Amino acid sequence: TNLSDGSVNIEEANYSWSPVDGISLTFGSQAEPYGLAWGLHRPSGNWFVSTPRDHNVTNGVGVGVDKFGVGANLFYGGSTADVLDADGVVTEEGSQYWAARGSYGLSVAGIDSKIGLSLNSNEAQLVDATIGNSFVNASLEYDLSEEADGAYWLRGVVTPLFGQGAYLLVGYNSDEEVLYGVGYKCSDSFKVVTEFSSDDEDGKDFAIRASYSF
């Protein structure tokens, strides 16, 4: 859950069960397995302040498999009932929805890399990739669907050996927005991040965030 603009928003509400090692089942409100953005929506898992794009949360059933570097995530759900207004007129038709993501990870010479492909019933096609080590890490999403018209985002984190917990941020996306900033990892649980963004229309924006995980 999160608190935003004075309202409490229930973001996830689900139950997960692992019948065997490497396989999980999730029932309830959950994010679709689509690219990398969902993993960056929480402050504890995001080195930046902002998230690279929006994500969808839907009621349904998810299946996850992770064995020998190969990952597969499947989701099926959606709304089965029509949404009516006060006069009984259908404003939104119920629909079923599926999404899937496959990935493969490899670690060679101290460098970890992973590539993934996401598909869904809305004809989406998304490729994502990550590569890095303890010093530098980069993440990329590229949308192959016709509707997206080549949308992408790229983000990188550099952690100098002499930084004593400090790290540098840099990012770029298909809207020609440049992100940069500095963060400081005070401990394994607490970090502070500052982020600047440049946009041709809005000028430069600045944001700062402190997060504590427990």
Side-chain angles (χ1 to χ4, degrees):
T1 184
N2 62 62
L3 178 66
S4 178
D5 297 328
S7 301
V8 177
N9 306 306
I10 304 300
E11 191 170 46
E12 291 180 276
N14 57 60
Y15 173 76
S16 294
W17 173 52
S18 297
V20 296
D21 186 38
I23 299 178
S24 63
L25 302 175
T26 304
F27 307 88
S29 178
Q30 58 191 285
E32 65 169 281
Y34 189 69
L36 303 173
W38 173 251
L40 302 178
H41 79 293
R42 291 190 179 93
S44 60
N46 188 2
W47 292 98
F48 288 73
V49 176
S50 61
T51 53
R53 63 169 174 82
D54 293 333
H55 49 263
N56 295 325
V57 177
T58 312
N59 284 310
V61 179
V63 180
V65 180
D66 189 0
K67 289 284 189 179
F68 311 111
V70 177
N73 296 89
L74 307 173
F75 172 83
Y76 184 78
S79 174
T80 57
D82 295 338
V83 178
L84 308 178
D85 61 13
D87 298 325
V89 178
V90 177
T91 59
E92 182 179 346
E93 295 183 354
S95 61
Q96 292 297 294
Y97 178 85
W98 65 265
R101 178 177 182 265
S103 63
Y104 178 71
L106 185 66
S107 181
V108 178
I111 298 177
D112 299 322
S113 60
K114 178 178 286 188
I115 185 169
L117 172 64
S118 301
L119 307 170
N120 64 29
S121 54
N122 293 333
E123 299 183 356
Q125 302 176 45
L126 183 76
V127 173
D128 62 77
T130 61
I131 185 171
N133 52 25
S134 59
F135 172 67
V136 61
N137 185 275
S139 302
L140 169 71
E141 270 193 7
Y142 189 88
D143 200 324
L144 301 175
S145 64
E146 294 183 5
E147 182 179 348
D149 193 25
Y152 68 88
W153 60 262
L154 174 66
R155 291 188 167 191
V157 179
V158 179
T159 307
L161 297 177
F162 55 84
Q164 300 296 318
Y167 58 91
L168 306 176
L169 309 172
V170 62
Y172 188 74
N173 61 34
S174 51
D175 294 327
E176 298 183 353
E177 180 184 14
V178 178
L179 300 177
Y180 52 95
V182 177
Y184 183 72
K185 187 175 181 181
C186 306
S187 67
D188 291 338
S189 301
F190 181 64
K191 66 175 181 281
V192 179
V193 188
T194 61
E195 179 183 307
F196 295 86
S197 65
S198 63
D199 190 284
D200 293 338
E201 297 181 357
D202 301 330
K204 293 183 178 181
D205 292 327
F206 169 76
I208 184 170
R209 183 184 66 201
S211 64
Y212 182 80
S213 304
F214 55 90

